[in-house]
Amino acid sequence: MEFNADESGELVARLKEGDQQALAELYSRHRPRLWRMIHFRLDPRLRGRVDADDILQEGYLAAVERIQHFRDESSTSFFVWLRLVLGQTLIDVHRRHLGTQMRDAGREISIHGHRSPQATSVSLAAQLLGQFTSPSGAAVRDEVSRQLEQAVDAMNPIDREVLVLRHFEELTNGEVAEVLEIQPKAASIRYVRAIGRLKEILSQLPGFAEEENADG
Amino acid sequence: MSDASSERDPVEALATEFVERLRRGEQPTVEEYAAQHPTLADAIRGLFPTIAQMEQLKARNAPLPGGAATLGGPRPETLGDFRILQEVGRGGMGIVYEAEQQSLGRRVAVKILPRSSLHNPRLLNRFHREAQTAAGLHHTNIVPVFGVGEEGDYHYIVMQLIAGVGLDEVLLRLGESRHANSGGSNGRAAVPGSGSTKRLAEAADAARMLVDSNIEHAEEQGSSRPAEKDGGPATGKPEAFLAEAATDDFRPGTTSPGKVGPCPSLPAKGLSTDLTDLLRIGPTYWRNVARIGGQVADALEHAHERDVLHRDVKPSNLILDRHGIAWVTDFGLAKAMQDDSVSHTGDIVGTLRYMAPERFRGEADARSDVYGLGLTLYEMLALRPAYEAPDASSLMRKISEEPPPRLAAVAAGIPQDLETIVMKAIAREPAHRYQSAEEMADDLRRFLDDRPIHARRVSSVEHLWRWCRRNPSVAGLTATALMLLIVVAVVAGVGYIVTNRALDGELVQRRKADDTSDLALEALDDIFEQFAPDRMSVYANLSQDDTAGGSMQATVQPVLSKAAASLLERLLVFYDELAALGGGDAEFRRKGADANRRVGDIRAALGQYEQAETAYFRAVEMYRQIGEHDRSDSSVAIETARIYNSLGELQIPAGNPTAGRPFHFKALETLEQVVQSADRSPAVRFEMARTCYLLGQEGGPPRMMFGAPPQPGDPWDFEFGGSREMLADGPPLDDRFWEPPHGGPGPRPASYERQENERYLRRAIDLLERLVEEQPAVPDYQHLLACCYRDLPPAGPNAPDGEKGRQTDRAIEILEELVERFPAIPIYRADLVETYLQAASQLDVEAGATAVSQLNEALAVARKLVAEHPNVPVYVLSQVQVHLALSQAFSREAQPAAAEVELRKALGLQSSLVSRFPDNMPYRIWEAMIRISLAESLNELEKLEEARGLLETAISGLDAVQEDDPDGPHRGHHRLLEQGYDLLAEVYRQLGQEDLAKEVLRQAEEFRAPRGGPPGLPRR
C-alpha cells in the first residue's frame, strides 16, 4: 500500500469522531486507486465527455454527504466504503450521460464484481488487447480481439473480477475479499487460479506468447 | 491487509510482494523467487511472468500525456563501449541515457529501446536500416546519429548529446505558466517521475528564452557551433533534456526512479509560479516560433532530398538547445519501431496526435512531415495541442474529420500570416499543404522578413466547400446549394479580396472585389433560402404563429434538421467575415450591414436569440451610419424597419409576445419618416403594411385551437385573461399612426387592445389593397393581404351576420389563387389550410355537412404539404388541427364513430411530433388535450376502459410537463388538468370505482384551490 497503515488507521479513527479534515486527507491518499477504478470502469463512450477528475470530485462530495453511513457502519473498511460511494457516483454519471442506452446496451458497469460480470469481461479483454501486436494488422487484431473476449468471458466471473481488482485497481487481497464478500483465503486461492487461467488463455492466442518470453 | 499469511495461498502471498516491488520500480526476477522458494518454484515460474505482464499492461494502457516506455527489464550498467550514467528522458520509443563512450572519453546520448519492441527479426532489420540512413544525415538542425548497437536483449542508438530540452517540456512549462493564474494545472500535469526539478528548471529557462529574447542572434552564432559542441561535457538527450554545461555544480548520479504508471500526482509546484512572468507572450515569441519552424523545415528538407522521411515530427522529437537552435531527432525511428497496426506502444495517443490524416490510410510522404511540423507550430502558438482526445479512436476521428480551431480563436494577437502558414501546413488534404518543407521554410522566412507570404488564407467559403465535400450526406441533400457553393468557391472569399485590396488599393481591384462579394452574398443568400423551407427570411415566424395559434407559440422555435443547422453554422462564419467588413468604405459597410442582418436571421433560425439580437442591433447601427451619409436612400430605412420587425418577432419565442411591440413601433416610426420625405414606393408601403400586420397580431387574443371565437369559459380558451394582463404591463398602446378608416369605434364594445389590433390590421389592408391594385403580379402583397383578412379579430355576435365570413372568403380566394400560381411555395398552402379551418369554424352549427366538405379540402392540402415537407412540424400541426376540426364537425353531426376516427388520427400525428420534439412543452400539452378529447368521445361511446387509460396517460403527461419545465407558462395546462380530473372521476364512477372517483375529485379540488378559480367549471 502506498501509505502508512497506522497513520491511515488514526485518520479513520479521527474521521469516525467527526473530523471532516480527516476525510479530505484520506480521500487524497486513496485518490490514485480510485482514479484507477474510474479509468478501468468508465464506459469508453464517455471518454472525452467526462473527466476522471470530475468524477473524483463528485465522488468526494458524495462521500462528504454520506459520511455518517460510514460512521455508523463499523464493519466496512474505509477504502472499500469509499470505493462503493465512488462506484455509485460512477453509475450516476453513466445514467446521466447514457440514459436509456445504458439499459438496452446491457453494459451496466460493475462495481461489486458479481452484479454484471459482462462489463468486466469486455473491459478486461480490451485492456489485454492493448498490448497486442500483430504485424498483419487489423484483421488479425479483430479476430484475436474476438477470441480474447470469448475466452475472458468464459472465465469464472469472480476470478475475473479478482484479477481486475488486484492488478488494475491495485486492491490488496484483504480488500478484494471484502469487496467480493468472500473469505480472504478464498480470495487468495482464486487469485492464483485466475492468473493460471489467464496464462492459458494468452498462450493460446497468437501475438501474446512472444511478449511473455520477453519479460523477466 | 489484516489477513495472516497462513490463511493465504503461499504463492499469492509471494505474488503480492513481487507485485509491490514491481510497482516500486524495482526489478525483481522470477528466478530469484523460484530459487528462494524451491517448493513453489514451478508455480512461481508458471505464474509470475503473467503477473508481471498484467502490471506492465496496466502501465501501458494508462492514458497519460506522453505515456512513457519501460525497458521491460533492469537498466544495464554498461552497453558495449558505453557506460550508462543517468537517465535523461523517456519517450514512447525508449529511454535515453547520458553515457560515456569509454574508448573516446566522450559523452554521448544512448537511447535504449524496450526489449519487447524488436522481438521480430523483420522489425529489427528495419530498425538497423533506418538508423543507418539517419546516420547519413548531416545537417545543423539534425541530431547526429553515431551508430546502433545491441547487447544482450538490448538494442540501442548512440547519438550526439545535445545540451537542450525537448520542445514538449518547454511547451508544458509555457502552458503551465499560462494556466498558473487560473490555478488549473489539471490535464496537462507533468508525468510523474518524468523530470527532476532540475530539468523542470531547465525547461523553464528555455521557455523564458523563447518568450523574452530573440533567438535569431543565437542562430547567427550557430555557424560557429561545431567547435563549441566538441567542447566541454554536456549532458542532454534527444527526447527531453537540458544542459548541465551551463551549471557546473550539477553532479550526475541521481536518476529519477521514473515510476511509470497512472498516478495523477501533482507536478512540482513552485516552479510554475516562477513562470507567471511568461504570460507576456507576444511578438518576440511568435517570431521565435517562426524561426524554429524555419530551422526544422530546413532539416526536413535536407532529409527529404535524401529520401528519408521523419514520420514522427512532434514537439518531443525537437530539442531546443540553449542557443535557440532546434534539433530534430529520431529520424525514421517511427517507421522502424512501428508495426503496421498503430497500436504498439502505450504512447499511441501521444504519437497519433501529430499524425497526418493520410497516415491512417498508410500513406506518407514529405507532406506528412510538413503536417507534423505544422501541428507542432500550431501547438507552440496555441499553447495547447491542436487535437485532444482521450483515446486513440476518437483522436483519429477528430484528425480525419475536423480542422483544429482557428488560432485566432484560441490565442489573440498571433500574426495573421503566421497563422496562414501554419494552417496551410496542416491542411487535411496533402495537396492543400506546402508541397515541400522547403516551400514552408521559404514562407516562414518571408514572414520573418515582413515580405508577403505565398500562402493564401483559406477563405471561409473554401472551408465550407471543403467541408461539404467531406460530408456527402449534407451535400447530397441540397444539390442546388452545392452548385451555388461551387460558384462562390470559384469567385473566392472575402478575406482574400480585402487583403488584396489593402495591398494595391486599385480601383479595378476594388471593382472586382465588389462584384465578387456581391456574388458571394447573393449565392449565400440563395443557399440560406434553401435551408429555410418556410421562407422565414420573408415572413419570419409569421406563418408558424398563424398555424399554431396563440397557445402554440413554442412552435416558432427553430425546427431545422441537424444537417441544415450545421450548414447554417458554417455559413455564419462567412457572414461574420462579411459583417466585419464595415470599415470606412460605404459600399462595404452596406454589405457588412446586410451580412449582420443575415447573421441575425441565421442565429434566430438556430434558436440563438441573444446572438441574433446582437447581430440585429449591430446591423441597425451600421444602417444608421449609412443613412447619415446618404439620406436619399430609402432602402436603408426599409432595411432598418425590417430588422426592427425581426427584433420584435424574436421576442415571441423568448416567451413574451408583447415585448415585441416597441420594436414594431420603432419600425413604423422609421417608415413614417420615409413616407414624410415623400417616398411612397411600394417597398416602403409594403414594409409598413407588414409592420401594421405584426402590430395587429402581437399581444392580441390568442387564436383558438379550432379557430372558434373565444368565449369566456370556453374550455379551449387558453387562459384568455393572461394576454390581457400581459398587455397591461406592455408598452402604452400607440395610435399615433392611426386614423380610423371607417370612422368611429367598432360596432360593439370590445376590449381596447382588440380594437387596437383590428385597427392596425385594417390599416395594413388599406395599404395592401392599393399595392395589389398597382402591382397584381407580386405574390407577397397578396399573401399578406390574405393573412390580414383572415386574422381580423372575430366579429362579435352583434356584427352583421355575413361580415366575418366575407373576410375569410376573400382570404381563401386570394390564397387559392396563389397556391395555383406558385405550387412550389409551401407557405401559401399552409396558410390556405389555416384559412379553411377558420372558415369551417365560422359556419353555423346547422351547416355541419358544408363544414365537413370544406375540411376535407383542407385535409387534402394539408396531407400533401406534410408529404412534401415531412420535417416541418408546423405543417404536421396543421394537419392535426384539420383532424380535430373534422372530429368536432362529426360530433356536431352526431357521428361519434367518425369523430373518434379523426381524433385517433390526430393523436397519432401529434404523438409522432412529441417523440421527435420531446422538449417542446406545447406539443406535449396538445397531445394530452387530444387524449382527453378522445377519452371524452370514448366515454360517450361507453368504451370506458380505454377512456380511463387515455385519461390517466394524459394526466401523467401533464404532470410530467410541469415537472420537466416548472417555470414555463404552459398555457391551457391547468384547464386541461382540471378537465382531465373531472372526466376521469366520471369514468371511474361509471366503472363503479367510487373510491377512485372520490380520490380524483379530491385531487382536482386540491389542485384548484390555490388558483382561487371557480370550482366545477362547466364541462363540455
Side-chain angles (χ1 to χ4, degrees), chain B residues 310-332:
Chain B
H310 188 290
R311 290 172 197 273
D312 196 16
V313 181
K314 59 178 176 180
S316 63
N317 280 335
L318 303 177
I319 303 159
L320 187 63
D321 74 14
R322 57 201 167 90
H323 301 294
I325 311 289
W327 297 78
V328 185
T329 186
D330 280 0
F331 258 96

Side-chain angles (χ1 to χ4, degrees), chain B residues 41 539 710 717:
Chain B
Y539 279 128
D717 173 10

Side-chain angles (χ1 to χ4, degrees), chain A residues 1-2 5 31-32 35-36 39 44 47-48 51 53 77 124 126-128 130-138 141 163-164 166-168 170-175 184-185 187-189 191-192 195-196 198-199 202 208 210-212 214-216, chain B residues 1 3 6-13 15-16 18-20 23 28-30 45-47 49-58 60-64 72 115-116 119-120 122 186-187 259 261-264 339-341 343-344 390-391 394:
Chain A
M1 302 249 342
E2 285 144 350
R31 193 180 158 97
W35 186 90
R36 284 182 189 287
H39 172 58
R47 307 227 166 103
D51 192 59
D53 285 337
S77 77
L124 180 56
Q127 293 279 319
L128 292 172
Q131 73 163 359
F132 172 70
T133 61
S134 155
S136 31
R141 194 187 147 90
L163 280 183
V164 168
R166 289 295 292 261
H167 284 285
F168 294 110
E170 299 192 349
L171 264 59
T172 64
N173 188 63
E175 286 165 341
K185 181 166 186 177
S188 156
I189 291 167
Y191 172 67
V192 173
I195 286 285
L198 182 69
K199 186 193 167 194
L202 294 183
F208 282 92
E210 300 159 272
E211 194 79 32
E212 198 180 316
D215 289 313
Chain B
M1 260 200 260
D3 26 61
S6 61
E7 285 175 0
R8 291 160 62 174
D9 186 312
V11 178
E12 187 270 328
T16 301
F18 179 69
V19 165
E20 275 172 12
R23 286 179 193 164
T29 66
V30 176
R45 288 200 184 92
L47 300 180
T50 305
I51 289 171
Q53 208 175 349
M54 287 289 272
E55 283 300 305
Q56 207 180 337
L57 202 54
K58 174 181 62 184
R60 282 188 183 182
N61 292 339
L64 274 186
R115 292 208 283 182
S116 56
H119 50 81
N120 159 336
R122 198 170 58 89
N186 236 1
K259 178 175 186 276
C263 174
D339 275 335
D340 298 337
S341 79
S343 56
H344 184 80
D391 60 82
S394 50

Side-chain angles (χ1 to χ4, degrees), chain A residues 85-98:
Chain A
V85 170
L86 210 74
Q88 190 52 52
T89 307
L90 194 57
I91 289 173
D92 293 345
V93 168
H94 279 81
R95 289 241 167 80
R96 210 180 306 144
H97 287 271
L98 297 177

Side-chain angles (χ1 to χ4, degrees), chain B residues 346-628:
Chain B
D347 189 30
I348 290 313
V349 172
T351 301
L352 277 181
R353 187 168 283 158
Y354 304 94
M355 214 176 245
E358 69 271 17
R359 294 280 302 281
F360 303 139
R361 305 189 296 263
E363 301 161 14
D365 60 20
R367 295 170 300 181
S368 315
D369 281 355
V370 165
Y371 177 93
L373 175 55
L375 269 199
T376 302
L377 298 186
Y378 181 101
E379 187 166 337
M380 290 184 81
L381 293 174
L383 291 180
R384 68 177 208 204
Y387 293 106
E388 282 181 294
D391 60 82
S393 65
S394 50
L395 188 63
M396 281 169 75
R397 203 193 53 237
K398 271 192 170 172
I399 292 171
S400 328
E401 286 175 9
E402 330 166 348
R406 285 181 53 171
L407 277 167
V410 176
I414 295 168
Q416 200 176 67
D417 277 356
L418 188 53
E419 172 177 8
T420 305
I421 292 171
V422 170
M423 294 316 269
K424 176 162 181 164
I426 61 175
R428 202 171 340 231
E429 287 295 318
H432 292 145
R433 293 179 209 146
Y434 290 104
Q435 297 301 295
S436 71
E438 189 180 17
E439 278 182 24
M440 184 172 176
D442 184 47
D443 248 7
L444 284 165
R445 301 251 143 75
R446 284 173 165 272
F447 163 74
L448 286 168
D449 296 344
D450 287 324
R451 284 181 291 145
I453 59 167
H454 286 133
R456 186 169 68 71
R457 267 179 77 193
V458 176
S459 68
S460 310
V461 176
E462 211 166 328
H463 274 306
L464 175 66
W465 168 231
R466 287 182 189 176
W467 176 81
C468 281
R469 279 209 327 198
R470 280 195 310 274
N471 293 273
S473 58
V474 174
L477 287 174
T478 55
T480 322
L482 207 61
M483 266 176 51
L484 286 165
L485 272 179
I486 298 172
V487 173
V488 177
V490 167
V491 299
V494 179
Y496 175 62
I497 298 160
V498 176
T499 317
N500 275 7
R501 253 192 51 189
L503 283 178
D504 47 35
E506 285 171 32
L507 204 70
V508 178
Q509 189 69 47
R510 189 199 139 126
R511 197 63 260 154
K512 216 169 101 192
D514 274 1
D515 294 348
T516 315
S517 54
D518 275 347
L519 191 55
L521 200 56
E522 216 170 279
L524 282 160
D525 282 351
D526 281 346
I527 297 166
F528 177 74
E529 298 281 331
Q530 289 247 329
F531 277 89
D534 53 0
R535 305 199 350 153
M536 67 185 105
S537 60
V538 178
Y539 279 128
N541 302 315
L542 189 144
S543 75
Q544 297 172 336
D545 199 24
D546 286 351
T547 314
S551 62
M552 294 295 294
Q553 280 157 358
T555 56
V556 297
Q557 283 164 356
V559 281
L560 295 168
S561 71
K562 257 183 138 174
S566 181
L567 182 66
L568 288 184
E569 288 278 9
R570 306 256 159 188
L571 283 181
L572 207 51
V573 178
F574 182 79
Y575 278 115
D576 273 336
E577 213 164 287
L578 276 170
L581 275 179
D585 186 305
E587 274 184 66
F588 271 94
R589 204 161 44 204
R590 179 63 192 261
K591 287 189 218 316
D594 287 349
N596 267 315
R597 175 173 61 78
R598 188 39 63 85
V599 169
D601 292 343
I602 297 178
R603 293 285 188 199
L606 291 170
Q608 301 161 345
Y609 301 118
E610 275 174 37
Q611 282 145 304
E613 219 173 86
T614 311
Y616 282 141
F617 279 129
R618 221 163 37 211
V620 166
E621 176 57 21
M622 287 171 96
Y623 281 126
R624 193 188 58 77
Q625 287 172 11
I626 297 164
E628 276 174 6

